[in-house]
Amino acid sequence: MSRVLMFIADGFEEVEGLMTVDILRRAGITVDMASIMGRLEIESSHKVKLTTDILAEEADLDSYDMVFLPGGMPGTNHLKASKTVTDAVMYFYNNDKYLAAICAAPTVFGGLGILKGKKACCYGGMEDGLIGAEVSFDNVCKDGKIFTSRGLGTALDMGLALLEEFKGKDAANEMAAKIMLK
């Protein structure tokens, strides 16, 4: 069974994070929301409070198949500043595990130098943060085991793309039908 670790910080964009969590959990994929704030309660960029599953430092990286980073401000800045997050991203990258980020969060990958020569997308106007990437304006980009997406309006596409990667196209199509997308 696939497992996803979503790092989450105060100021994250709630729809980008929760849409992806919802789609994957509906499909039976384990997603742990891990707070990097030193407390379980997080406040989104639009002042929505939620309780995460674990603290980031409690996560056993070897038990996960993917790290997912939601966007939003200042959430993305918190992710960039977190050694726990950047170390985990590099661990996943160096061990050929999946990485995914949406909105501003792909700039975390860009800042770490892991997008060089890869196709990637992000929130409009933040493309300079995709250092070394072949910038795309697609809703979702997949290059190897790195997924990026543009923002709130593409969060459903991102969730379905990740579901397709883990469980196949039929599972993604079935989910789209169940949620009345198709």
Side-chain angles (χ1 to χ4, degrees), residues 10 15 29 43 53 70 75 84 93 100 121 125 131 136 142 159 172:
D10 285 341
V15 173
I29 295 170
E43 185 174 271
D53 302 305
T84 299
Y93 179 74
C121 59
I131 299 165
S136 171
K142 176 186 184 258

Side-chain angles (χ1 to χ4, degrees), residues 163-164 167-177:
L163 174 55
E164 181 176 333
K167 291 201 166 186
K169 189 157 190 67
D170 287 345
N173 286 338
E174 287 173 27
M175 180 64 67

Side-chain angles (χ1 to χ4, degrees), residues 63-79:
S63 70
Y64 294 96
D65 303 296
M66 173 182 279
V67 162
F68 172 69
L69 305 178
M73 287 296 182
T76 297
N77 291 335
H78 290 307
L79 295 174

Side-chain angles (χ1 to χ4, degrees), residues 146-163:
I146 298 177
F147 287 79
T148 54
S149 188
R150 300 200 62 217
L152 185 150
T154 65
L156 181 54
D157 295 332
M158 176 66 127
L160 292 171
L162 299 180
L163 174 55

Side-chain angles (χ1 to χ4, degrees), residues 2-15:
S2 302
R3 295 191 65 192
V4 176
L5 177 63
M6 180 177 83
F7 286 116
I8 190 169
D10 285 341
F12 83 104
E13 207 311 312
E14 54 271 88
V15 173

Side-chain angles (χ1 to χ4, degrees), residues 92-151:
F92 273 60
Y93 179 74
N94 290 327
N95 286 282
D96 198 33
K97 290 185 165 203
Y98 288 101
L99 292 166
I102 189 169
C103 192
T107 63
V108 175
F109 298 165
L112 293 171
I114 64 174
L115 294 179
K116 290 182 180 153
K118 298 192 180 305
K119 184 178 176 184
C121 59
C122 67
Y123 186 76
M126 301 196 79
E127 292 84 9
D128 288 348
L130 301 178
I131 299 165
E134 175 191 330
V135 175
S136 171
F137 296 93
D138 292 340
N139 285 354
V140 178
C141 291
K142 176 186 184 258
D143 195 319
K145 290 192 173 180
I146 298 177
F147 287 79
T148 54
S149 188
R150 300 200 62 217

